[in-house]
């Protein structure tokens, strides 16, 4: 982990390490997705970048980071682990520039069945301010 990294409570150690290794050299803030529970089905567009999560417990839906802004043009598919499971722990790593602005969003998923972790979508942020993104997980 980078000395300036921040990992939110509720992110498993394995997923946090995976996201840190997938991120660039900048400090990251890793934030877990939470709803009524912490297990989600996730729709991703890995070409354009973007994701929407659906809580496995209550069915509540939420876009991750700024995904809603371009979701209409996205071509999302349901995330699926190689083992066939579609239920994931979900967390987002926000790569931070020296000025504290978010510069990159990386969506990490860890399969609830076999524990496999992966990056299912990532995209660049080229505007500011970006503080609002840190709560949109």
């Amino acid at each position: 982990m980078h000395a300036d990294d921040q990992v939110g409570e509720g992110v498993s150690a394995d997923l946090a390490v995976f996201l840190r290794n997938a991120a660039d050299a900048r400090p990251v803030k890793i934030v877990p997705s939470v709803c009524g529970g912490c297990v989600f089905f996730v729709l991703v567009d890995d070409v354009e970048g973007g994701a929407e999560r659906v809580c496995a417990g209550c069915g509540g839906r939420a876009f991750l980071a700024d995904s809603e802004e371009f979701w209409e043009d996205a071509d999302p598919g349901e995330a699926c682990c190689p083992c066939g499971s579609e239920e994931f722990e979900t967390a987002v790593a926000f790569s931070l520039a020296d000025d504290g602005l978010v510069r990159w969003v990386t969506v990490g998923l860890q399969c609830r069945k076999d524990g496999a972790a992966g990056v299912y979508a990532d995209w660049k942020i080229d505007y500011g301010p970006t503080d609002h993104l840190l709560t949109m997980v």
Side-chain angles (χ1 to χ4, degrees), residues 45-130:
D45 181 334
D46 60 348
V47 174
E48 296 296 323
E52 179 184 26
R53 65 169 172 79
V54 180
C55 179
C58 72
R61 303 175 83 90
F63 289 102
L64 302 182
D66 61 354
S67 298
E68 185 174 19
E69 294 177 24
F70 53 87
W71 201 248
E72 185 176 299
D73 298 326
D75 185 21
E78 195 158 350
C80 185
C81 178
C83 79
S85 178
E86 298 175 345
E87 294 185 344
F88 297 95
E89 172 190 350
T90 304
V92 178
F94 297 97
S95 294
L96 306 175
D98 291 339
D99 59 6
L101 292 175
V102 173
R103 286 297 163 231
W104 204 264
V105 175
T106 304
V107 177
L109 306 179
Q110 184 169 22
C111 179
R112 297 297 290 187
K113 183 176 180 181
D114 71 1
V119 170
Y120 282 73
D122 61 348
W123 60 96
K124 185 176 170 114
I125 303 296
D126 58 3
Y127 59 85
T130 60

Side-chain angles (χ1 to χ4, degrees), residues 12-75:
S12 71
D14 290 343
L15 186 54
V17 168
F18 184 87
L19 281 167
R20 169 69 263 171
N21 291 336
D24 59 19
R26 295 179 183 160
V28 295
K29 182 169 186 175
I30 301 173
V31 182
S33 287
V34 292
C35 188
C38 60
V39 178
F40 299 94
F41 301 101
V42 183
L43 299 168
V44 295
D45 181 334
D46 60 348
V47 174
E48 296 296 323
E52 179 184 26
R53 65 169 172 79
V54 180
C55 179
C58 72
R61 303 175 83 90
F63 289 102
L64 302 182
D66 61 354
S67 298
E68 185 174 19
E69 294 177 24
F70 53 87
W71 201 248
E72 185 176 299
D73 298 326
D75 185 21

